[in-house]
Amino acid sequence: MAAHEASAKAYSPATLARICAKENELETGRKELQALRTNVEQSVERARQVLRLRHELEQQRLRIEERRRLVEQQARRVEEASGMSEGSDNQTAAAHKREDEQDIVQRIKRLAVTLRQDRIILEDLRAMLARQRAQVASVLAFVYPVELGDDGWTICGLRLVHADNIHGWLASEETAAALGMVAVVVDYVAQSMGVPARYPVIPRGSRSVVVNPGSTPAQTAPLFMLRAGDRPRLRAAIRLVATDIEQLLGMFGIDDIDRHQILPNLTQLLLAIENSSFAQ
């Protein structure tokens, strides 16, 4: 007890004030981290909702295709029945065929009505899916803000330094953390769009990796650099992620981009997803 009091007296008022300020900063950071975790969990739930809507949309499309096939089949039967009735001399048989034709025509009309209703439902589901995707993109843009500052583009305030310009542990870790956030956004967007990325990313914070399935066997490239010898692999990994972003932008008809500008392209991708919901 006496030792603790002696230790406390050893601090000057200015030192104690700095300690209190640091404690307040830590508490503020903890609250911000908790809010960020909550936003990420909400984003995950929205992504799951998008996947469920995609499944419903696909099921609805298959039902429409099946009903269209039935309509075409019934139409062919009407044509066959008409041809057979013209060449028949049996009036009773012809009457039965005409009744069959009328019955088939009525069924075709009912199927046509159902088909129109299913198309309306399909369009509604598409619009709902687009809105869900836009919500996911909006949350991602909020949780992982990309901004243009005096030092260039940043994500969550972290710079994405070119692999050739990384010198020192601090620049290496900053770039690794930034690439980890890029990997999260690309992974979420690919899942919400229902499109497998050409080079799947595995988000692991500042130790994220990207998979190259074209190699035999499939290999992973690190989105971080632990030593100078990792520079070529990091450079290759960044190119793969840039290709994924280019692939996703292509789904919105955007192909005139500079592949090297990862963060601006990522912002353009999220904006394209949000804007697509207004086009539905």
Side-chain angles (χ1 to χ4, degrees), residues 210-278:
V210 58
V211 181
N212 183 3
S215 58
T216 306
Q219 296 180 350
T220 59
L223 290 167
F224 55 90
M225 191 175 78
L226 298 178
R227 58 188 66 85
D230 295 334
R231 196 182 305 274
R233 298 182 66 199
L234 174 61
R235 193 184 301 117
I238 293 175
R239 283 199 299 269
L240 298 182
V241 173
T243 302
D244 286 341
I245 297 174
E246 183 180 26
Q247 172 196 356
L248 294 170
L249 280 169
M251 297 182 62
F252 299 94
I254 303 174
D255 49 16
D256 185 16
I257 63 171
D258 182 358
R259 186 182 292 183
H260 298 91
Q261 300 295 321
I262 289 183
L263 293 182
N265 292 343
L266 197 65
T267 298
Q268 190 174 13
L269 174 61
L270 296 178
L271 286 174
I273 296 173
E274 291 188 61
N275 293 335
S276 67
S277 65
F278 297 105

Side-chain angles (χ1 to χ4, degrees), residues 66-109:
E66 178 62 19
R67 283 171 179 158
R68 183 182 291 112
R69 187 186 64 79
L70 289 174
V71 168
E72 293 174 353
Q73 187 180 35
Q74 296 288 2
R76 285 195 298 271
R77 288 179 59 186
V78 168
E79 293 178 358
E80 293 173 358
S82 298
M84 293 176 62
S85 63
E86 291 176 0
S88 175
D89 295 330
N90 191 326
Q91 294 181 353
T92 303
H96 286 306
K97 288 186 178 64
R98 282 193 296 272
E99 291 176 359
D100 290 341
E101 290 174 12
Q102 292 175 356
D103 181 59
I104 292 173
V105 168
Q106 291 300 320
R107 289 200 296 182
I108 289 176
K109 288 180 179 179

Side-chain angles (χ1 to χ4, degrees), residues 177-197:
L179 285 171
M181 295 176 186
V182 171
V184 171
V185 175
V186 171
D187 186 51
Y188 270 126
V189 169
Q191 289 186 47
S192 66
M193 297 300 298
V195 177

